[in-house]
């Protein structure tokens, strides 16, 4: 069994996010292998392309590209074939297939997925909305939001809000604290727009202890105390029952998974942006 | 020239973000064609898979998948071949190639890119950091940040901060307003970590007018006045010169493009997360 550093070359005329994500999904399958991910992005000069490929050849790299210009695609694919380099052209087969089916010519505009159109600005607005109405900062947000997230401390409210904002969805969130008074606006929101987040007590205990350590404090505080956590979670569950909202346990779920669950359960179409 | 609604089926055992992004990059090349993007995500049951493929066949859909289980991959690829459906298997060729080169077996763990590891929690922290230190809320953030963004109103400070946070980078930002006093912490930050954002006056004028209209106000206010905007931009430029930071004009640039420029100019490695 030989373990060596494997080079993966991303080549894109745009931000190269899709190819990078693909490389990450593949490399995540190999915990022990060391990879050298080289991102060559916003490549629009032929001279850059020839230099990149010369380096890729030297390192016997795996090449993944999302290029849109015919000459560039042909050059990279031919170069890799001649030089026996592994080459994954993920964008052009799909673009060609659509052309063949619709008899419409692709615009061949570089970075077309990043066009500064109405959808794009809607996404920017959703991001600003998430930041403005994070952490219950302004109760007005609950009435304007597409989704309202409730949850005790450390149930991923903020990252979830931002992730959903990236899909053009306006999200406001509110921390649930037993001692505090709920803003009255919560009761004016359609319960079908509200999600109650919860977590396993033992996981919350561990996360909160780590947080205390990160702050240079004693890990065992009231914040991380398991009895307090159980009380908080009980209080939250009773509140969710009163509101009549759906409840999701975020334990061992990534932000992506929880987001998908939320969209599925609230029957919200993800019509938004899926940027390259 | 026939234009009809084209179905694209995404099939993933995880969140399906990579395949969705790829579909978006391709469809963005065809402004006038209507697409029907069907996301089949977190698919782990064989019965779901057979149903999805039956529907795909009915609609003569283009299939894009990122599956990791051998049986699922073989089933989808074979089904599409037999039924002459367009099928783009983007993940498994790369996973196989790595296996062949390293003689290491892939873990075949579903959603491995979403593992709740140290990197993942670092990303969550970076997101919370961006929200906590958005809009100059707390000057402490400037000293802890990896990047400090400065800019007048409507230069994409918040979306840029969040986008970079998603790459595990801690970003704080500060709005630049001629009348206000700068927090003294700004002068304690290494200028190599600071980015001054600017924009074209005519674009700012238009964006700000639209914002006023969105608020139900007269579009021509002091906020959107071109002379005031020019003064603001002059003030900002002089400040950037004094600080000695790099300056980026965000006009006609997407968040992805500006982020890449920032990372390139500040020589920050994007070693972070590239989630599926």
């Amino acid at each position: 069994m030989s373990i060596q550093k494997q080079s993966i070359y991303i080549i894109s005329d745009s931000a190269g996010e899709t190819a990078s994500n693909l490389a990450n999904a593949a490399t995540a399958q190999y915990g022990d292998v060391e990879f050298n991910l080289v991102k060559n992005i916003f490549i629009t000069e032929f001279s850059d392309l020839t230099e990149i490929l010369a380096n890729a050849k030297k390192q016997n790299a795996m090449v993944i590209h999302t290029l849109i210009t015919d000459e560039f695609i042909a050059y990279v694919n031919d170069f890799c074939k001649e030089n026996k380099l592994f080459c994954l052209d993920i964008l052009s087969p799909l673009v060609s297939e659509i052309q063949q089916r619709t008899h419409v010519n692709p615009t061949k505009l570089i970075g077309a997925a990043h066009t500064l159109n109405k959808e794009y600005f809607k996404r920017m607005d959703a991001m600003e909305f998430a930041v403005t109405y994070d952490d219950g900062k302004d109760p007005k947000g609950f009435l304007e939001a597409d989704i309202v997230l409730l949850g005790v401390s450390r149930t991923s409210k903020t990252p979830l809000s931002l992730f959903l904002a990236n899909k053009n969805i306006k999200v406001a969130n509110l921390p649930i604290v037993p001692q505090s008074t709920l803003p009255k606006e919560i009761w004016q929101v359609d319960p079908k727009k509200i999600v109650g987040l919860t977590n396993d007590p033992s996981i919350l205990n561990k996360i909160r202890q780590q947080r205390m350590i990160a702050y240079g404090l004693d890990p065992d505080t009231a914040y991380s105390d398991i009895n307090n956590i159980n009380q908080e979670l009980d209080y939250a569950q009773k509140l969710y029952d009163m509101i009549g909202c759906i409840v999701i346990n975020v334990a061992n779920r990534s932000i992506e998974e929880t987001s998908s669950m939320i969209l599925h359960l609230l029957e919200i179409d993800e019509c938004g942006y899926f940027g390259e």
Side-chain angles (χ1 to χ4, degrees), chain A residues 114-251:
Chain A
H114 293 157
T115 313
L116 305 181
N117 56 14
K118 219 172 146 186
E119 280 299 295
Y120 177 87
F121 288 108
K122 217 178 132 192
R123 184 167 65 108
M124 296 302 109
D125 283 347
M127 286 194 179
E128 287 177 9
F129 187 94
V131 172
T132 306
Y133 298 113
D134 182 57
D135 210 35
K137 255 177 265 167
D138 181 349
K140 223 172 48 205
F142 302 127
L143 304 174
E144 291 174 33
D146 299 317
I147 299 175
V148 174
L149 301 178
L150 309 178
V152 305
S153 176
R154 301 283 110 199
T155 47
S156 314
K157 293 182 297 296
T158 299
L160 273 172
S161 302
L162 301 182
F163 190 83
L164 289 164
N166 206 35
K167 296 184 183 295
N168 290 6
I169 298 163
K170 290 195 284 180
V171 185
N173 72 65
L174 178 71
I176 300 300
V177 183
Q179 297 84 351
S180 70
T181 319
L182 278 183
K184 65 177 192 314
E185 285 82 356
I186 283 296
W187 304 103
Q188 296 161 25
V189 179
D190 180 353
K192 289 198 190 92
K193 287 185 175 183
I194 302 180
V195 179
L197 300 171
T198 189
N199 205 337
D200 290 351
S202 58
I203 291 181
L204 274 184
N205 172 247
K206 212 175 138 196
I207 296 177
R208 291 182 178 187
Q209 282 183 333
Q210 280 164 353
R211 188 128 294 239
M212 288 299 104
I213 292 168
Y215 292 157
L217 301 170
D218 187 325
D220 298 313
T221 61
Y223 177 69
S224 56
D225 180 77
I226 192 83
N227 292 323
N228 287 349
I229 287 173
N230 276 320
Q231 275 178 26
E232 272 181 60
L233 291 175
D234 283 350
Y235 172 85
Q237 185 59 54
K238 277 180 195 141
L239 177 69
Y240 302 158
D241 290 344
M242 272 170 70
I243 292 173
C245 62
I246 62 161
V247 178
I248 296 180
N249 187 332
V250 302

Side-chain angles (χ1 to χ4, degrees), chain A residues 65-80:
Chain A
H65 72 81
T66 51
L67 293 162
I68 198 67
T69 318
D70 288 331
E71 295 71 31
F72 279 31
I73 296 168
Y75 184 75
V76 174
N77 290 353
D78 291 350
F79 181 96
C80 291

Side-chain angles (χ1 to χ4, degrees), chain A residues 53 56-57 60-61 63 79-87:
Chain A
L53 288 172
K57 189 182 167 182
N60 187 27
V63 174
F79 181 96
C80 291
K81 203 171 173 187
E82 276 163 31
N83 292 279
K84 296 192 178 61
L85 281 181
F86 173 85
C87 178

